[in-house]
Amino acid sequence: MSHPQTDQSYDVVIVGAGAAGIGCGVVLKELGLEHFTILDRHQVGASFSRWPEEMNFITPSFPSHGFGLLDLNAVTLKTSPAIAFRREHISGKQYALYLQTVADHFELPIQTEIDVQSVTHLPQGGFTLHTSSGEISTQFVIWAAGEYQYPRLNTFPGAEHCVHNSQIQSWTDLEGDEFIIIGGYESGMDAAANLVAIGKKVGVLDRTGAWANPDTDPSVSLSPYTLQRLEFVYNTGRLDLVGNAPIEEVKPISGGYAVYSEYQKWVTAHPPILCTGFDTSLKQISPLFDWSKGYAALTENDESTLTPGLFVSGPSVRHGDLIFCFIYKFRQRFAVIANAIAQRLGIDSTPLDAYRQAGLFLDDLSCCDNDCIC
């Protein structure tokens, strides 16, 4: 790891050293790009290492690369978290270690403990990054800052009386026997499964009832892993699932908290647990994107339609109905970004052929379809 200096200049700066940042860094390294750096406000894989102790990946890892199929959670070729940890569902801390191992192996130029506070797009092209350790100039920015550090904390009045699941270090730390969870998607179900597993009684309140969504895309419906766990804990009789319950307010009352939807009220002795998800880190640099469709508009190279040279990698990448919020989805776009940058810098992009052969160079989005015959 290099130590931060001030007034640096690069061809490419990657913001974020998580799955997307490390994955993009490896591709740039394999292209032979020398003048680039990866910045992270904490450490490599920091968001993963801050997951609750019991939280695991919902996408399974499997040692299948010997047969031409990459482990779903790998960010680069010839690596497999399944082989590294002999586990199918990797924990956050294990995954952070995997990312650090990849970073070390490829000798990626990473600078940690640097907070990117703002990004200025220069009239003549290129960017100035204003950071906690001075200004950095670069021709291209790959924004790979992720989402976990931006929990949705203020989704309704009184949300400040709740605790967000990302603020939990371990579910065993919570004292009490009964809990209310607000939000029934993946993090809500994970919280419920972990609490029921240690003997707690849990009520989950969700505005729709995500557990009943039949959609085949795991970006919008619960994963098979979660549904399997849910069935197991539901059979204990300690889990109550309440759909069609959009929460409007939480109020402290004598002896605990009251949770209100339009027509119902629930009372709990302990702070309700918010499983309301996360915001995109792109909000930090929102003026550099067109948000007219409700998400950051990107070109076919995952570049901002408003700001040439600014690329996005990671779970915030979206093209119409295609949401790239899992690693196995967004890793297919690393080579697309690298290819665009290589062309503009006049670098030979032949090393990307290996990515295309491995199914990691997805530049035709018309083939993405979750429909299945059985």
Side-chain angles (χ1 to χ4, degrees), residues 104-116:
D104 291 344
H105 176 78
F106 287 94
E107 299 179 346
L108 297 182
I110 299 170
Q111 301 180 57
T112 55
E113 310 293 336
I114 293 190
D115 190 15
V116 176

Side-chain angles (χ1 to χ4, degrees), residues 7-28:
D7 302 324
Q8 305 164 70
S9 180
Y10 297 96
D11 289 329
V12 184
V13 171
I14 298 172
V15 180
I22 296 299
C24 283
V26 171
V27 185
L28 295 185

Side-chain angles (χ1 to χ4, degrees), residues 60-74 76-83 328 331 357-360:
S61 277
F62 205 81
S64 48
H65 70 281
F67 294 86
L69 296 169
L70 199 60
D71 185 317
L72 283 181
N73 298 310
T76 188
L77 302 165
K78 298 181 181 172
T79 67
S80 170
I83 291 176
Y328 74 86
R331 72 184 183 190
Q357 286 164 11
L360 289 184

